[in-house]
Coordinates of all heavy atoms in Angstrom, one line a residue:
E1 N 52.2 66.4 26.4 CA 52.1 66.3 25.0 C 50.7 66.4 24.6 O 49.8 65.7 25.1 CB 52.8 65.0 24.5 CG 52.8 64.8 23.0 CD 53.6 63.6 22.6 OE1 54.8 63.7 22.8 OE2 53.0 62.7 22.2
V2 N 50.4 67.2 23.6 CA 49.0 67.5 23.2 C 48.3 66.2 22.6 O 47.2 65.9 23.0 CB 48.9 68.6 22.1 CG1 47.5 68.8 21.6 CG2 49.4 69.9 22.7
L3 N 49.0 65.5 21.7 CA 48.4 64.3 21.2 C 48.1 63.2 22.2 O 47.1 62.5 22.2 CB 49.3 63.7 20.1 CG 49.3 64.4 18.7 CD1 50.3 63.7 17.8 CD2 47.9 64.3 18.1
Q4 N 49.0 63.1 23.2 CA 48.8 62.1 24.3 C 47.5 62.5 25.1 O 46.7 61.7 25.4 CB 50.0 62.0 25.2 CG 49.8 60.9 26.2 CD 51.1 60.7 27.0 OE1 52.1 61.3 26.8 NE2 51.1 59.7 27.8
D5 N 47.4 63.8 25.4 CA 46.2 64.3 26.1 C 44.9 64.0 25.4 O 43.9 63.5 25.9 CB 46.3 65.8 26.4 CG 47.4 66.1 27.4 OD1 47.9 65.2 28.2 OD2 47.8 67.3 27.5
L6 N 45.0 64.2 24.0 CA 43.8 63.9 23.2 C 43.5 62.5 23.2 O 42.3 62.1 23.2 CB 44.0 64.5 21.8 CG 43.9 66.0 21.6 CD1 44.3 66.4 20.2 CD2 42.5 66.5 22.0
A7 N 44.5 61.6 23.1 CA 44.3 60.2 23.0 C 43.6 59.7 24.3 O 42.7 58.9 24.3 CB 45.6 59.4 22.8
I8 N 44.1 60.2 25.4 CA 43.6 59.8 26.7 C 42.1 60.3 26.9 O 41.3 59.6 27.3 CB 44.5 60.4 27.9 CG1 45.8 59.6 27.9 CG2 43.8 60.2 29.2 CD1 46.9 60.3 28.7
Q9 N 41.9 61.6 26.5 CA 40.5 62.1 26.6 C 39.5 61.3 25.7 O 38.4 61.0 26.1 CB 40.5 63.6 26.2 CG 41.1 64.5 27.2 CD 41.2 65.9 26.8 OE1 40.8 66.3 25.7 NE2 41.8 66.7 27.6
R10 N 39.9 61.1 24.4 CA 39.0 60.5 23.5 C 38.9 59.0 23.7 O 37.9 58.3 23.6 CB 39.4 60.7 22.0 CG 39.2 62.2 21.6 CD 39.6 62.5 20.3 NE 39.5 61.5 19.3 CZ 40.2 61.4 18.2 NH1 41.1 62.3 17.9 NH2 40.0 60.4 17.3
N11 N 40.1 58.4 24.1 CA 40.2 56.9 24.3 C 39.5 56.1 23.3 O 38.8 55.2 23.5 CB 39.6 56.6 25.7 CG 40.2 55.3 26.2 OD1 41.4 55.0 26.0 ND2 39.5 54.5 27.0
T12 N 39.8 56.4 22.0 CA 39.4 55.6 20.9 C 40.6 55.0 20.2 O 41.7 55.5 20.3 CB 38.6 56.5 19.8 OG1 39.6 57.5 19.3 CG2 37.4 57.2 20.5
P13 N 40.3 53.9 19.5 CA 41.5 53.3 18.8 C 42.1 54.3 17.8 O 43.4 54.3 17.7 CB 40.8 52.1 18.0 CG 39.6 51.8 18.8 CD 39.1 53.1 19.3
E14 N 41.3 55.1 17.1 CA 41.9 56.0 16.2 C 42.8 57.0 16.8 O 43.9 57.4 16.3 CB 40.8 56.7 15.4 CG 39.9 55.8 14.6 CD 38.8 55.1 15.3 OE1 38.6 55.4 16.5 OE2 38.3 54.2 14.7
A15 N 42.4 57.5 18.0 CA 43.3 58.5 18.7 C 44.6 57.9 19.1 O 45.7 58.5 18.9 CB 42.6 59.0 19.9
W16 N 44.6 56.6 19.5 CA 45.9 56.0 19.9 C 46.7 55.6 18.7 O 47.9 55.7 18.8 CB 45.6 54.7 20.8 CG 45.1 55.1 22.1 CD1 43.8 55.1 22.6 CD2 45.9 55.6 23.2 NE1 43.8 55.6 23.9 CE2 45.0 55.9 24.3 CE3 47.3 55.9 23.3 CZ2 45.5 56.4 25.5 CZ3 47.7 56.4 24.5 CH2 46.8 56.7 25.6
V17 N 46.1 55.3 17.6 CA 46.8 55.0 16.3 C 47.5 56.3 15.9 O 48.7 56.4 15.5 CB 45.9 54.5 15.2 CG1 46.6 54.5 13.9 CG2 45.6 53.0 15.6
D18 N 46.8 57.4 15.9 CA 47.4 58.7 15.6 C 48.6 59.1 16.4 O 49.6 59.5 15.9 CB 46.3 59.9 15.7 CG 45.2 59.8 14.6 OD1 45.4 59.0 13.6 OD2 44.2 60.4 14.8
L19 N 48.4 58.8 17.7 CA 49.5 59.1 18.6 C 50.7 58.2 18.3 O 51.9 58.6 18.3 CB 49.1 58.9 20.1 CG 50.2 59.1 21.1 CD1 50.8 60.5 21.0 CD2 49.6 58.9 22.5
G20 N 50.4 56.9 18.0 CA 51.5 56.0 17.7 C 52.2 56.4 16.4 O 53.4 56.3 16.3
A21 N 51.4 56.9 15.4 CA 52.0 57.3 14.2 C 52.9 58.5 14.4 O 54.0 58.6 13.9 CB 51.0 57.7 13.2
A22 N 52.5 59.4 15.3 CA 53.3 60.6 15.6 C 54.6 60.2 16.3 O 55.7 60.7 16.0 CB 52.5 61.6 16.5
R23 N 54.5 59.2 17.2 CA 55.7 58.8 17.9 C 56.6 58.0 17.0 O 57.9 58.2 17.1 CB 55.3 57.8 19.1 CG 54.7 58.6 20.2 CD 54.4 57.7 21.4 NE 53.5 58.2 22.3 CZ 53.8 58.5 23.5 NH1 55.0 58.4 24.0 NH2 52.8 59.0 24.3
H24 N 56.1 57.3 16.1 CA 56.9 56.6 15.1 C 57.6 57.6 14.2 O 58.8 57.4 13.9 CB 56.0 55.7 14.2 CG 56.8 54.9 13.2 ND1 56.8 55.1 11.9 CD2 57.6 53.8 13.4 CE1 57.5 54.3 11.3 NE2 58.0 53.4 12.1
Y25 N 57.0 58.6 13.8 CA 57.6 59.7 13.0 C 58.8 60.3 13.8 O 59.8 60.7 13.2 CB 56.6 60.7 12.6 CG 57.1 61.9 11.8 CD1 57.4 61.7 10.4 CD2 57.4 63.1 12.4 CE1 57.9 62.7 9.7 CE2 57.9 64.1 11.6 CZ 58.2 64.0 10.3 OH 58.7 65.0 9.5
Q26 N 58.6 60.4 15.1 CA 59.7 61.0 15.9 C 60.7 60.0 16.3 O 61.6 60.2 17.1 CB 59.1 61.6 17.2 CG 58.2 62.8 16.9 CD 57.4 63.3 18.2 OE1 57.3 62.5 19.2 NE2 56.9 64.5 18.1
Q27 N 60.6 58.8 15.7 CA 61.6 57.7 16.0 C 61.5 57.2 17.4 O 62.5 56.6 17.9 CB 63.0 58.0 15.6 CG 63.1 58.3 14.1 CD 64.5 58.7 13.7 OE1 65.4 58.9 14.5 NE2 64.7 58.7 12.4
D28 N 60.3 57.3 18.1 CA 60.1 56.8 19.4 C 59.3 55.4 19.1 O 58.1 55.3 19.3 CB 59.2 57.7 20.2 CG 58.9 57.1 21.6 OD1 59.3 56.0 21.9 OD2 58.1 57.8 22.3
Y29 N 60.1 54.4 18.7 CA 59.4 53.2 18.2 C 58.8 52.4 19.4 O 57.7 51.9 19.2 CB 60.5 52.3 17.5 CG 61.1 53.1 16.3 CD1 62.4 53.4 16.3 CD2 60.3 53.5 15.3 CE1 63.0 54.1 15.2 CE2 60.8 54.2 14.2 CZ 62.1 54.5 14.2 OH 62.7 55.2 13.1
S30 N 59.4 52.4 20.5 CA 58.8 51.7 21.7 C 57.5 52.3 22.1 O 56.6 51.7 22.4 CB 59.8 51.5 22.8 OG 60.2 52.8 23.3
G31 N 57.5 53.7 22.1 CA 56.3 54.4 22.4 C 55.2 54.2 21.4 O 54.0 54.0 21.8
A32 N 55.6 54.1 20.2 CA 54.6 53.9 19.1 C 54.0 52.5 19.3 O 52.8 52.3 19.2 CB 55.3 54.0 17.7
V33 N 54.8 51.5 19.5 CA 54.3 50.1 19.7 C 53.3 50.1 20.9 O 52.2 49.5 20.8 CB 55.4 49.1 19.9 CG1 54.9 47.8 20.4 CG2 56.2 48.9 18.6
L34 N 53.6 50.8 22.0 CA 52.7 50.8 23.2 C 51.4 51.5 22.8 O 50.3 51.0 23.2 CB 53.4 51.6 24.3 CG 54.5 50.9 25.0 CD1 55.2 51.8 26.0 CD2 54.1 49.6 25.6
D35 N 51.4 52.5 22.0 CA 50.2 53.2 21.6 C 49.4 52.3 20.7 O 48.1 52.3 20.8 CB 50.5 54.6 20.9 CG 51.1 55.6 21.9 OD1 50.9 55.5 23.1 OD2 51.8 56.4 21.4
Y36 N 50.0 51.6 19.7 CA 49.3 50.7 18.9 C 48.7 49.6 19.7 O 47.6 49.1 19.4 CB 50.2 50.1 17.8 CG 50.5 51.2 16.7 CD1 51.9 51.4 16.4 CD2 49.6 51.9 16.1 CE1 52.2 52.4 15.5 CE2 49.9 52.8 15.1 CZ 51.2 53.1 14.8 OH 51.5 54.0 13.9
R37 N 49.4 49.1 20.7 CA 48.8 48.1 21.5 C 47.6 48.6 22.3 O 46.7 47.8 22.5 CB 49.9 47.5 22.5 CG 50.9 46.7 21.8 CD 51.9 46.0 22.8 NE 52.8 45.2 22.0 CZ 54.0 44.9 22.4 NH1 54.5 45.4 23.5 NH2 54.7 44.1 21.6
R38 N 47.7 49.8 22.7 CA 46.5 50.4 23.4 C 45.3 50.4 22.5 O 44.2 50.1 22.9 CB 46.9 51.8 23.9 CG 45.7 52.6 24.6 CD 45.3 51.9 25.8 NE 44.1 52.6 26.4 CZ 44.0 52.9 27.6 NH1 44.9 52.6 28.5 NH2 42.9 53.6 28.0
A39 N 45.6 50.8 21.2 CA 44.5 50.8 20.2 C 43.9 49.4 20.1 O 42.7 49.3 20.0 CB 45.0 51.4 18.9
L40 N 44.8 48.4 20.0 CA 44.3 47.1 19.9 C 43.5 46.6 21.1 O 42.6 45.8 20.9 CB 45.5 46.1 19.6 CG 46.1 46.2 18.3 CD1 47.5 45.5 18.2 CD2 45.2 45.7 17.2
T41 N 43.8 47.1 22.3 CA 43.0 46.7 23.4 C 41.6 47.2 23.3 O 40.6 46.6 23.8 CB 43.6 47.1 24.8 OG1 43.7 48.5 24.8 CG2 45.0 46.5 25.0
L42 N 41.5 48.4 22.7 CA 40.1 49.0 22.5 C 39.4 48.4 21.3 O 38.2 48.4 21.3 CB 40.3 50.5 22.3 CG 40.9 51.2 23.5 CD1 41.2 52.7 23.1 CD2 39.9 51.2 24.7
D43 N 40.1 47.9 20.3 CA 39.5 47.2 19.2 C 40.4 46.1 18.7 O 41.1 46.2 17.7 CB 39.3 48.3 18.0 CG 38.5 47.7 16.9 OD1 38.1 46.5 16.9 OD2 38.3 48.5 15.9
P44 N 40.3 44.9 19.4 CA 41.2 43.8 19.1 C 40.9 43.1 17.8 O 41.8 42.3 17.3 CB 40.9 42.8 20.3 CG 39.6 43.2 20.8 CD 39.4 44.7 20.5
N45 N 39.8 43.4 17.1 CA 39.5 42.7 15.9 C 40.0 43.5 14.6 O 39.7 43.1 13.5 CB 38.0 42.5 15.8 CG 37.5 41.6 16.8 OD1 38.2 40.6 17.1 ND2 36.4 41.9 17.4
D46 N 40.7 44.6 14.8 CA 41.2 45.4 13.7 C 42.5 44.8 13.2 O 43.6 45.0 13.7 CB 41.4 46.8 14.2 CG 41.7 47.8 13.0 OD1 42.2 47.3 12.0 OD2 41.3 48.9 13.1
A47 N 42.4 44.0 12.1 CA 43.6 43.3 11.6 C 44.6 44.3 11.0 O 45.8 44.0 11.1 CB 43.1 42.4 10.5
E48 N 44.2 45.4 10.5 CA 45.2 46.3 9.9 C 46.1 46.9 11.0 O 47.3 47.0 10.9 CB 44.5 47.5 9.2 CG 45.5 48.4 8.5 CD 44.8 49.4 7.6 OE1 43.7 49.1 7.1 OE2 45.3 50.5 7.4
R49 N 45.5 47.3 12.1 CA 46.3 47.8 13.3 C 47.2 46.7 13.8 O 48.3 46.9 14.2 CB 45.4 48.3 14.4 CG 44.9 49.7 14.0 CD 44.3 50.4 15.2 NE 43.5 51.4 14.7 CZ 42.1 51.4 14.7 NH1 41.5 50.4 15.2 NH2 41.5 52.4 14.2
A50 N 46.7 45.5 13.9 CA 47.5 44.4 14.4 C 48.7 44.1 13.5 O 49.8 43.9 14.0 CB 46.7 43.1 14.5
A51 N 48.5 44.2 12.2 CA 49.6 44.0 11.2 C 50.6 45.2 11.4 O 51.8 45.0 11.3 CB 49.1 44.0 9.8
L52 N 50.1 46.4 11.6 CA 51.0 47.5 11.7 C 51.8 47.4 13.0 O 53.1 47.6 13.0 CB 50.2 48.8 11.7 CG 51.0 50.1 11.8 CD1 52.0 50.2 10.7 CD2 50.0 51.3 11.8
E53 N 51.2 47.0 14.1 CA 52.0 46.9 15.3 C 53.0 45.8 15.2 O 54.2 45.9 15.6 CB 51.0 46.5 16.5 CG 51.8 46.4 17.8 CD 51.3 45.3 18.7 OE1 50.2 44.8 18.5 OE2 52.1 45.0 19.5
A54 N 52.7 44.7 14.5 CA 53.6 43.6 14.3 C 54.8 44.0 13.5 O 55.9 43.7 13.7 CB 52.9 42.4 13.7
K55 N 54.5 44.8 12.4 CA 55.5 45.3 11.6 C 56.5 46.2 12.3 O 57.7 46.1 12.2 CB 54.9 46.1 10.4 CG 55.9 46.7 9.4 CD 55.3 47.6 8.4 CE 55.0 46.8 7.1 NZ 54.5 47.7 6.1
L56 N 56.0 47.1 13.2 CA 56.8 47.9 14.0 C 57.7 47.1 14.9 O 58.8 47.5 15.2 CB 56.0 49.0 14.8 CG 55.4 50.1 14.0 CD1 54.5 50.9 14.8 CD2 56.5 51.0 13.4
A57 N 57.1 46.1 15.4 CA 57.9 45.2 16.3 C 58.8 44.3 15.6 O 59.6 43.5 16.2 CB 56.9 44.4 17.2
G58 N 58.8 44.3 14.3 CA 59.7 43.5 13.5 C 59.2 42.0 13.4 O 60.0 41.1 13.1
Q59 N 57.9 41.8 13.6 CA 57.4 40.4 13.6 C 56.5 40.1 12.4 O 56.0 39.0 12.3 CB 56.7 40.2 14.9 CG 57.5 40.4 16.1 CD 56.7 40.4 17.4 OE1 55.5 40.2 17.4 NE2 57.3 40.7 18.5
A60 N 56.2 41.1 11.6 CA 55.3 40.9 10.5 C 55.9 40.1 9.4 O 57.0 40.3 9.0 CB 54.7 42.2 10.0
P61 N 55.1 39.2 8.8 CA 55.6 38.6 7.6 C 55.6 39.6 6.5 O 54.8 40.6 6.5 CB 54.5 37.5 7.3 CG 53.3 37.8 8.2 CD 53.8 38.7 9.3
S62 N 56.4 39.4 5.4 CA 56.5 40.4 4.4 C 55.1 40.5 3.7 O 54.4 39.6 3.5 CB 57.5 40.0 3.4 OG 57.0 39.3 2.3
G63 N 54.8 41.8 3.5 CA 53.5 42.1 2.8 C 52.3 42.3 3.8 O 51.3 42.7 3.4
A64 N 52.5 42.1 5.1 CA 51.4 42.3 6.0 C 51.3 43.7 6.3 O 52.2 44.4 6.6 CB 51.7 41.5 7.3
G65 N 50.0 44.2 6.3 CA 49.7 45.6 6.6 C 50.2 46.5 5.5 O 51.3 46.6 5.2
S66 N 49.2 47.2 4.9 CA 49.6 48.1 3.8 C 49.8 49.5 4.2 O 50.3 50.3 3.5 CB 48.6 47.9 2.7 OG 47.3 48.3 3.2
S67 N 49.3 49.9 5.4 CA 49.4 51.3 5.8 C 50.7 51.5 6.5 O 51.2 50.7 7.2 CB 48.2 51.6 6.8 OG 47.0 51.4 6.2
Q68 N 51.1 52.7 6.4 CA 52.3 53.1 7.1 C 52.1 54.5 7.8 O 51.4 55.3 7.2 CB 53.5 53.3 6.1 CG 54.0 52.0 5.5 CD 55.2 52.2 4.7 OE1 55.9 53.3 4.8 NE2 55.6 51.3 3.9
P69 N 52.5 54.6 9.0 CA 52.3 55.9 9.7 C 53.1 57.0 9.2 O 54.1 56.8 8.5 CB 52.7 55.5 11.2 CG 53.6 54.4 11.1 CD 53.3 53.7 9.8

């Protein structure tokens, strides 16, 4: 998959978030969560990504994270 190759090559939080958003759009929710977690390992202080990952996992309190993939 092209996006996965790019994420691996760039290895930036943004690349992994983009891949997660693409997987989410394709209804590959478990793959999306894994990609968001990878982004969080690269930038653990990014609260927006943390909220998005929690929302995808069904653990976010209502109103957490304003971005949607």
Side-chain angles (χ1 to χ4, degrees):
E1 178 173 294
V2 173
L3 282 176
Q4 185 172 4
D5 292 342
L6 286 173
I8 291 168
Q9 288 174 359
R10 289 178 35 206
N11 203 34
T12 63
E14 294 81 11
W16 288 101
V17 167
D18 290 346
L19 180 58
R23 289 185 198 246
H24 183 253
Y25 180 77
Q26 295 173 342
Q27 298 181 349
D28 176 5
Y29 303 116
S30 61
V33 169
L34 291 174
D35 293 335
Y36 289 124
R37 286 185 178 154
R38 176 65 183 225
L40 287 167
T41 64
L42 296 172
D43 187 1
N45 296 318
D46 190 329
E48 186 173 332
R49 284 195 196 104
L52 181 56
E53 184 219 340
K55 181 186 262 187
L56 286 173
Q59 302 168 1
S62 93
S66 58
S67 296
Q68 292 189 13

